[in-house]
């Protein structure tokens, strides 16, 4: 490298725009002072943040490497080629598109690649853990397509594969989506493949939540089974906010066209470069250890919360997240979330399967361990976090003392520690 880096410079932000500088510092304080248990969040590395805060943000690069609509793309072409090669290698995929701006954008492109307006799409019901882009009426997926929803069995709270097959045979979907936003267990991709083959459907796996665990080799990969796998890059995978798609070579053209020019304009090249950095990090033995610890921590935290009186939905977790039914503590999900918020433990209320409460109230909470694991916390800290959550929910009047305990825990395991 012959040019010194010219990038994020906090002093210039502070002097140009003190209000926004305050927000940036305030957010850093929030991250350092509290415990982040939102299952879809993580703490990206300084290397990822450096790529994000770089001059690559300036570049227009509509098109794909070597086939751009703008000149001057020789550097960003290299970044995108590296990101594509790393994604293919890490996931054993035949083709990768690293341009989707987000998980929702990746999913829009997947629909665009395979479906026409009005086509039937079979996906997990929102109320049972599916995502907005899996057929919600307030989303393009429910407005422009004909969603049919499957769910979990009431007795086991595990995906009801018999029902998925029955619905597929009845409705003959053009596409079946496996993957969810609040499902803590492994998904049987082979079962979904068999059902898709039986009815001639495309199998899309929305791996937004768990792709980082696939990268870390701690849960099975959907790539050998799916026609297309979409995902976000900012959850367990610990990259920049963004989306990505891997697919079979036969679908490469359709997928690329569906991303650009169908649903997006110029790619965010700073983000593409940051995705490349995250993929490099995710291919290391350290990251594999991290991914294994994320899962161990989720299990430990779920067990700890069960000891505090909550009911673990489906009886456990195989991933980075768990769903807890909080009704045994005589609170709603919204109340539990609020009481944890008051002691700087951030988590979200969540509907549980067959939840009698409306979504804004909910009977459960969702917890996830990507961020706390990045901070270096392990099973012992998860046991302590579970005790703090239990106390915060049961005894809201102790918020001051509990917050002090949270501070002690985060001081010992800081987010973005000062080294
Ligand atoms: N798919 C699933 C399963 C998700 O959980 C999410 C977000 O949480 C998305 C897609 C959408 O990702 P984004 O928020 O980046 O659009």
């Amino acid at each position: 490298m012959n040019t010194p880096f010219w990038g994020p410079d906090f002093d210039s932000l502070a002097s140009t725009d003190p209000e926004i500088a305050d927000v940036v510092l305030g957010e850093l304080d929030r991250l350092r002072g509290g415990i982040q248990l939102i299952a879809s969040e993580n703490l990206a590395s300084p290397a990822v943040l450096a790529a994000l805060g770089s001059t690559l943000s300036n570049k227009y690069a509509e098109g794909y490497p070597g086939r751009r609509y703008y000149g001057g793309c020789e550097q960003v072409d290299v970044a995108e080629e590296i990101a594509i090669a790393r994604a293919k290698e890490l996931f054993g995929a035949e083709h990768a598109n690293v341009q989707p701006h987000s998980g929702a954008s990746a999913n829009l492109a997947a629909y665009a690649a395979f479906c026409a307006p009005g086509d039937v799409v079979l996906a997990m019901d929102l109320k049972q853990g599916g995502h907005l882009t899996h057929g919600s009426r307030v989303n393009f997926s429910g407005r422009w397509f004909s969603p049919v929803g499957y769910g979990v069995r009431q007795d086991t709270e595990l995906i009801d594969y018999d029902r998925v097959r029955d619905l597929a045979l009845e409705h003959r979907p053009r596409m079946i989506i496996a993957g969810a936003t609040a499902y803590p267990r492994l998904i049987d991709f082979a079962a979904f493949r068999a059902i898709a083959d039986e009815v001639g459907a495309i199998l899309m796996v929305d791996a937004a939540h768990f792709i980082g665990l696939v990268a870390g080799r701690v849960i099975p990969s959907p790539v050998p089974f799916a026609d297309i796998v979409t995902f976000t890059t900012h959850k367990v995978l610990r990259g920049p906010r963004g989306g990505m798609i891997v697919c079979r070579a036969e679908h490469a053209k359709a997928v690329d066209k569906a991303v650009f020019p169908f649903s997006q304009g110029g790619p965010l090249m700073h983000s593409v470069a940051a995705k490349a950095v995250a993929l490099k990090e995710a291919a290391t033995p350290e990251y594999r250890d991290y991914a294994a610890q994320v899962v161990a921590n989720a299990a430990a935290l779920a067990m700890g919360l069960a000891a505090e009186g909550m009911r673990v939905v489906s009886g456990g977790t195989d991933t980075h997240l768990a769903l807890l039914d909080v009704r045994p503590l005589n609170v709603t999900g919204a109340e539990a979330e609020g009481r944890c918020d008051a002691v700087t433990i951030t988590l979200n209320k969540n509907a549980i399967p067959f939840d009698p409460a409306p979504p804004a109230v909910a009977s459960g909470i969702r917890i996830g361990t990507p961020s706390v694991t990045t901070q270096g916390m392990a099973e012992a800290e998860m046991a302590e976090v579970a005790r703090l959550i239990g106390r915060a929910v049961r005894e809201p009047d102790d918020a001051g003392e509990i917050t002090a305990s949270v501070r002690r825990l985060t001081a010992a395991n800081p987010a973005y520690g000062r080294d």
Side-chain angles (χ1 to χ4, degrees):
M1 259 182 275
N2 47 18
T3 306
F5 180 63
W6 198 94
D9 169 7
F10 189 76
D11 289 344
S12 73
L13 175 60
S15 61
T16 304
D17 192 337
E19 287 166 284
I20 292 298
D22 272 355
V23 173
V24 172
L25 287 185
E27 173 63 4
L28 191 52
D29 275 351
R30 188 188 70 81
L31 289 175
R32 284 175 171 159
I35 294 174
Q36 316 307 323
L37 295 175
I38 304 279
S40 46
E41 293 180 1
N42 208 332
L43 306 167
S45 72
V48 166
L49 295 180
L52 268 184
S54 71
T55 54
L56 270 62
S57 170
N58 297 324
K59 191 71 199 94
Y60 244 113
E62 281 180 353
Y64 290 100
R67 293 176 284 133
R68 304 285 192 189
Y69 288 78
Y70 289 85
C73 288
E74 57 275 10
Q75 293 300 329
V76 294
D77 271 5
V78 175
E80 186 161 346
E81 275 161 358
I82 290 173
I84 291 168
R86 287 180 185 164
K88 286 165 66 177
E89 169 78 21
L90 186 60
F91 298 115
E94 292 172 2
H95 180 71
N97 187 306
V98 298
Q99 292 192 4
H101 300 331
S102 68
S105 307
N107 287 354
L108 171 59
Y111 280 82
F114 298 111
C115 302
D119 276 354
V120 174
V121 175
L122 177 60
M124 191 140 176
D125 203 301
L126 239 71
K127 292 200 242 45
Q128 306 243 323
H131 186 255
L132 280 171
T133 53
H134 299 177
S136 163
R137 253 173 288 170
V138 298
N139 182 264
F140 74 86
S141 54
R143 184 91 66 83
W144 295 340
F145 300 91
S146 306
V148 176
Y150 63 84
V152 298
R153 288 172 56 108
Q154 197 148 12
D155 52 350
T156 59
E157 298 177 314
L158 301 175
I159 290 173
D160 187 343
Y161 294 95
D162 293 336
R163 178 96 181 115
V164 176
R165 180 170 178 269
D166 289 345
L167 288 169
L169 289 169
E170 182 186 343
H171 295 280
R172 298 274 155 182
R174 168 71 184 138
M175 186 162 83
I176 299 176
I177 304 179
T181 190
Y183 186 68
R185 311 314 296 252
L186 298 180
I187 294 171
D188 186 345
F189 302 121
F192 271 106
R193 178 76 260 168
I195 295 167
D197 284 344
E198 198 174 348
V199 299
I202 289 288
L203 178 60
M204 164 184 163
V205 174
D206 181 345
H209 259 273
F210 56 81
I211 194 71
L213 302 177
V214 175
R217 307 284 189 265
V218 293
I219 66 168
S221 171
V223 173
F225 299 97
D227 293 283
I228 178 168
V229 179
T230 62
F231 52 93
T232 54
T233 47
H234 48 270
K235 297 188 171 89
V236 191
L237 192 56
R238 211 162 56 185
R241 300 202 74 73
M244 211 179 272
I245 296 174
V246 295
C247 66
R248 295 183 174 176
E250 65 189 280
H251 303 312
K253 250 197 184 139
V255 165
D256 284 354
K257 280 187 184 160
V259 174
F260 173 84
F262 188 84
S263 60
Q264 289 191 174
L268 314 176
M269 294 314 300
H270 57 309
S271 186
V272 167
K275 288 171 187 173
V277 176
L279 290 168
K280 180 167 188 177
E281 291 176 348
T284 59
E286 293 75 25
Y287 182 86
R288 286 191 189 191
D289 293 346
Y290 162 74
Q293 191 63 52
V294 165
V295 175
N297 280 354
L301 187 49
M303 252 170 50
L305 291 170
E308 294 298 319
M310 298 181 188
R311 185 182 72 83
V312 184
V313 169
S314 83
T317 174
D318 307 311
T319 64
H320 61 298
L321 70 85
L323 267 185
L324 289 308
D325 180 349
V326 294
R327 290 174 300 182
L329 297 184
N330 291 320
V331 290
T332 65
E335 283 165 340
E337 177 189 305
R339 290 177 191 186
C340 288
D341 230 12
V343 301
T344 66
I345 296 176
T346 306
L347 46 75
N348 61 282
K349 63 176 175 291
N350 213 105
I352 58 170
F354 308 98
D355 201 329
V361 176
S363 300
I365 56 171
R366 187 184 69 162
I367 57 96
T369 50
S371 295
V372 288
T373 309
T374 295
Q375 284 173 248
M377 295 194 199
E379 286 92 331
E381 287 80 13
M382 293 305 100
E384 172 68 7
V385 171
R387 282 192 291 275
L388 293 171
I389 291 173
R391 191 170 163 208
V393 172
R394 273 193 315 272
E395 296 157 45
D397 291 346
D398 291 353
E401 269 177 40
I402 303 167
T403 305
S405 301
V406 168
R407 287 287 178 281
R408 279 192 290 279
L409 201 56
T410 53
N413 305 275
Y416 296 113
R418 301 168 182 81
D419 47 22

